Amino acid sequence: MPQTIALVDDDRNILTSVSMTLEQEGYLVRTYTDGESALQGLMGKPADLAVLDIKMPRMDGMELLQRLRARSAMPVIFLTSKDEEVDELMGLRLGADDYITKPFSQRLLLERIRALLRRNEAMKQESSGVVAGGLLVRGDLTLDETKHTCIWKGKPIQLTVTEFLLVKALALRPGLVKNRDQLIDAAYGENIYVDDRTIDSHVKRVRKKFRSQDDDFAQIETLYGIGYRYKEQ
């Protein structure tokens, strides 16, 4: 069954051209020109992935992402302008999985969409029992790959696909430093270029989620200029 992509942008030229490209690749595409209509549509009929512009009428991309994240871990790619660096970082902190700067190559967008959908599909297959999975336990942390769940000190932590893969990559080898390139490969797959600050923003958001349940959470350590590691308990 074809996968469904939701495109949300008030620029109808972008909606038309990107829709044509995705449909040629076999995807079903649903388009929205503002955040409010997109929220209504996606809450009633979820998509496999959403591509959101930041600046839109009626409800901007930031608010739309917040509302979607309250109910869904659906992969989300942000479209941003070159002068919106703050917005890019804020979007990642709110839970976007990736971002692309306008003007953008449709080939690049297609590659990012494919990579995110592959990761999401792998998660779904694991949870349905198609792929063998199991538990990863590190002290107070439990990651269940088959259910895509994260538990810290008995409390659930809601993680996006990207965040889950980052935590897993760090927790697999406690004490071992992972540089940003290694974490990019773990979270996005090889041959996908992602700016270093994207990983930094994801890590900040992960820490914030854990600290919302535990003020003393300090397992993910930063080694400035090198990378990150999961502290052994």
Side-chain angles (χ1 to χ4, degrees):
M1 184 175 177
Q3 293 172 302
T4 301
I5 310 296
L7 298 179
V8 190
D9 199 310
D10 60 339
D11 187 328
R12 294 184 182 274
N13 290 328
I14 289 179
L15 291 182
T16 299
S17 62
V18 174
S19 292
M20 291 178 60
T21 297
L22 293 176
E23 287 169 352
Q24 289 172 357
E25 294 295 322
Y27 296 109
L28 296 177
V29 182
R30 302 208 311 266
T31 61
Y32 305 92
T33 56
D34 64 82
E36 284 189 5
S37 62
L39 181 64
Q40 293 174 3
L42 291 170
M43 289 297 97
K45 193 176 181 182
D48 293 293
L49 180 145
V51 179
L52 312 180
D53 188 27
I54 288 182
K55 294 184 177 178
M56 296 183 293
R58 300 177 64 192
M59 180 189 297
D60 66 18
M62 295 293 187
E63 184 177 352
L64 175 57
L65 177 61
Q66 280 186 298
R67 296 198 180 192
L68 290 173
R69 278 290 170 257
R71 305 184 186 185
S72 171
M74 171 183 62
V76 170
I77 297 174
F78 253 142
L79 297 180
T80 73
S81 297
K82 285 186 176 179
D83 59 350
E84 294 173 341
E85 179 176 328
V86 173
D87 287 344
E88 293 169 9
L89 298 177
M90 182 61 71
L92 292 169
R93 289 167 189 160
L94 289 174
D97 292 279
D98 201 354
Y99 73 89
I100 292 179
T101 302
K102 293 181 179 180
F104 58 88
S105 157
Q106 292 201 23
R107 179 179 177 183
L108 173 62
L109 176 61
L110 185 59
E111 288 176 353
R112 297 291 181 84
I113 287 172
R114 286 171 174 163
L116 273 172
L117 287 174
R118 281 197 302 268
R119 292 160 40 207
N120 206 41
E121 188 60 30
M123 292 287 188
K124 289 179 180 179
Q125 289 178 345
E126 288 177 355
S127 65
S128 66
V130 176
V131 177
L135 294 178
L136 172 62
V137 179
R138 290 287 182 264
D140 293 317
L141 174 71
T142 300
L143 297 177
D144 189 333
E145 297 179 82
T146 64
K147 298 179 181 178
H148 184 54
T149 57
C150 173
I151 304 295
W152 175 257
K153 293 187 176 179
K155 297 179 180 179
I157 308 293
Q158 300 298 323
L159 300 177
T160 67
V161 173
T162 304
E163 293 163 355
F164 186 93
L165 291 172
L166 282 174
V167 174
K168 174 187 170 185
L170 291 168
L172 274 172
R173 301 289 298 276
L176 180 68
V177 178
K178 292 274 189 177
N179 63 40
R180 288 169 179 79
D181 288 340
Q182 291 171 318
L183 291 175
I184 287 170
D185 289 345
Y188 288 88
E190 296 181 1
N191 302 319
I192 294 292
Y193 173 76
V194 178
D195 193 283
D196 285 353
R197 67 186 180 192
T198 303
I199 293 297
D200 296 338
S201 293
H202 283 310
V203 170
K204 288 178 182 177
R205 179 167 170 81
V206 166
R207 284 178 175 146
K208 183 177 179 180
K209 287 185 173 184
F210 276 87
R211 287 171 182 164
S212 70
Q213 300 287 4
D214 177 9
D215 292 337
D216 296 324
F217 177 81
Q219 299 310 117
I220 298 177
E221 297 182 315
T222 302
L223 282 82
Y224 292 98
I226 303 175
Y228 298 94
R229 68 182 172 197
Y230 190 85
K231 185 169 65 175
E232 296 183 81
Q233 288 179 283

